[in-house]
Each structure stands twice: as structure tokens, then as C-alpha cells.
Amino acid sequence: MRENTGQNTRDRRIVVFGVAIFICVFLGPFGTGDDLNLWDRVAFWTVAISTVGIFMEICILATLESKWLVKLPSLIIIAIGSAIAGFPGASVVITLNKIFRPEHLEDSQFPELWLKVTIMGVLIAGLELLISARNQTAQEEATNREPKDGADKPAILKTPRLLQRLPARLREGQVISMSMQDHYVEVTTTKGSEMILMRLSDAMDLLDGIEGAQTHRSHWAASAHADTLSRAGRRHELKLKDGRSVPVSSSYRDAVERMLNEKGQA
């Protein structure tokens, strides 16, 4: 199950990057349509988007996980991450210009290139965000169309909002843990796992009373499925009842110990 959700995420990224490269090659933005032939544009934009994409991925992920930016809308956080990644990204573009069209550098200034790279990063990441949001909306609409009789309504009202975001096959399960992977939260339940495009803090807000504790800036574990806290070298880990372990950072260790104490397992 985890392999399938990860594959879906990778497939979505491949589609987004493929569309971005196709558009840039055939529209030739930023003067590349005038300065380069078709195959030079293919090489230029494939290298540019792929390389800059790595910087964007690292910086956007870091900003999405930042505790200082947690209250900002996701699109604003993506823009901040893209602006940070724009600095090394602009350096990549300058290098490519030196190779493919050195004469263009006379009219190009670093601030201008930084702004262009930042805008490209926001557009590409925003496209991925839009695709994932539409997929989630479609799942929620399908859920609303499912027939419900009067006897089922009280149970539906008690269902945590996070479970309502999951596919139907997982909604009857119990949440075991949540872990950030790139821009997604991997929600693991007793019925399987699924990737959801959101921040960990937002996912925790949707738990609606499911008891647990954040163990790390990128991990959360349910109290009912927490087993023991152990030390592996210089690191601490929380073993879960399904056999997996999640890391426990020093900032969250006290909260994990309190959770286990309340269960009488510390």
C-alpha cells in the first residue's frame, strides 16, 4: 500500500514536470524561442527545470515543515520556499545561458533571473497543488454521494475529519501514525495507508479527538498504537504496535513520555 501511494506521488510529479518542460520548449519563454532552436530548447529546459526542481523540492519542503510558517496559507509558504530556492536556481540558469546563449547574459541581471525562477517555481508547485487538491475534492464529493440511512448518521458525525479525507477502503480503520513525505502526509491506519497533500499540523487539527502525540517535527503517533520508547544509539524511537518505529526528537520526547505514562507503559 505504501509503495502504491508513493508511486502515485511520483507519477504526479512526472506529469507536472513533463507538462512544464513541454510548455517551455514549445512556447520558448524568456527569449529562448528566439535564441535557440527546438533541440537546444529541449536540452536547455529539461536541464533547467529538472535541476531547479531539486532546489525547489528541498526549500519548499523545509518551509512547509517550518514551525514559524505553520499559520500561513500553503500557497504563501510555497512562494517563500520558491523565493529561497530562486537563488541557487538563478545560478543554474546563468550557467545554462553561458553554455547555450552567452550573448544573452549581457542583458540579464541576477535579480531579474531570480524573480523569473521564483515565479516558475510557484507555477510548477502550484500546478502540483492544484492537481492534488482536485483529486481530494473528487474523493470528498464521491463520499458525499454515498447513500446513508438514518442508522448510519450518528456514526458519520463521529468520524474524524481526517478519516473522511481518506479513500473509502481506509475509513473504517484506526489511525496509527502520520509522517511527512515531501509536501504530503502519509496517514497509516489499521486498514492501510494513503498520502494526503497537507501539512502535518493541518492533519493533526483534523484528528478530532484521536489521542496521540507529535514525536518529531515530521511524525505523529496515536496513543492507542504506541508501545515503548527506546534508544537507538544517540536517537530515541517510539515503537508502534504494528511493528514500525517513528523517530522521537529531543523537543518532543517529554510529550511522548507523558503519553506513555498516561497509558501506564513508561
Side-chain angles (χ1 to χ4, degrees):
M1 184 74 68
R2 190 172 297 116
E3 290 178 357
N4 290 336
T5 54
Q7 183 63 46
N8 291 337
T9 302
R10 290 191 294 271
D11 291 345
R12 186 181 296 118
R13 286 185 184 150
I14 291 173
V15 171
V16 170
F17 274 87
V19 170
I21 292 172
F22 179 86
I23 292 174
C24 290
V25 167
F26 286 94
L27 294 185
F30 310 134
T32 55
D34 297 327
D35 298 340
L36 303 176
N37 60 40
L38 175 62
W39 293 112
D40 283 345
R41 292 199 304 275
V42 170
F44 183 96
W45 285 112
T46 298
V47 174
I49 292 177
S50 299
T51 306
V52 174
I54 295 175
F55 294 118
M56 289 292 172
E57 188 76 18
I58 295 172
C59 294
I60 291 176
L61 175 58
T63 52
L64 284 171
E65 294 185 350
S66 172
K67 62 181 180 181
W68 294 288
L69 304 176
V70 68
K71 294 183 179 180
L72 297 177
S74 295
L75 190 59
I76 299 299
I77 297 178
I78 287 174
I80 294 173
S82 297
I84 296 172
F87 290 102
S91 300
V92 170
V93 174
I94 288 176
T95 302
L96 289 173
N97 278 325
K98 287 182 178 180
I99 296 172
F100 287 93
R101 47 177 190 163
E103 68 282 356
H104 183 76
L105 291 175
E106 297 177 1
D107 300 324
S108 296
Q109 302 296 324
F110 187 88
E112 179 184 356
L113 287 174
W114 168 81
L115 179 60
K116 290 177 179 179
V117 171
T118 299
I119 292 173
M120 290 292 292
V122 172
L123 291 176
I124 294 174
L127 178 60
E128 183 180 354
L129 181 68
L130 177 62
I131 292 174
S132 298
R134 291 187 64 181
N135 289 341
Q136 289 183 17
T137 300
Q139 288 182 355
E140 291 173 359
E141 290 177 350
T143 302
N144 294 333
R145 288 196 297 268
E146 292 178 356
K148 306 177 181 68
D149 55 33
D152 291 335
K153 288 182 180 178
I156 292 171
L157 292 175
K158 295 180 180 179
T159 301
R161 288 170 293 166
L162 181 67
L163 288 175
Q164 295 174 17
R165 299 280 188 102
L166 300 177
R169 68 181 187 277
L170 304 180
R171 292 180 200 138
E172 297 300 321
Q174 298 178 8
V175 178
I176 299 175
S177 66
M178 299 188 297
S179 300
M180 282 294 299
Q181 292 191 19
D182 299 328
H183 314 317
Y184 296 80
V185 173
E186 181 183 24
V187 182
T188 301
T189 74
T190 52
K191 299 291 185 178
S193 62
E194 181 72 11
M195 295 283 197
I196 304 179
L197 181 66
M198 64 170 57
R199 292 172 292 183
L200 181 61
S201 59
D202 294 334
M204 291 169 59
D205 289 339
L206 299 178
L207 288 170
D208 294 337
I210 299 178
E211 295 185 359
Q214 189 169 358
T215 68
H216 184 275
R217 69 173 186 173
S218 302
H219 299 274
W220 178 94
S223 175
H225 296 275
D227 195 353
T228 57
L229 180 64
S230 61
R231 186 166 185 169
R234 300 175 62 182
R235 300 180 180 180
H236 286 82
E237 293 181 344
L238 176 64
K239 187 175 181 180
L240 305 176
K241 290 185 177 180
D242 64 357
R244 295 180 301 115
S245 296
V246 293
V248 177
S249 65
S250 57
S251 302
Y252 297 99
R253 192 172 64 211
D254 289 344
V256 173
E257 290 177 344
R258 283 196 300 270
M259 177 180 68
L260 293 176
N261 284 332
E262 291 174 0
K263 295 181 60 176
Q265 297 181 3

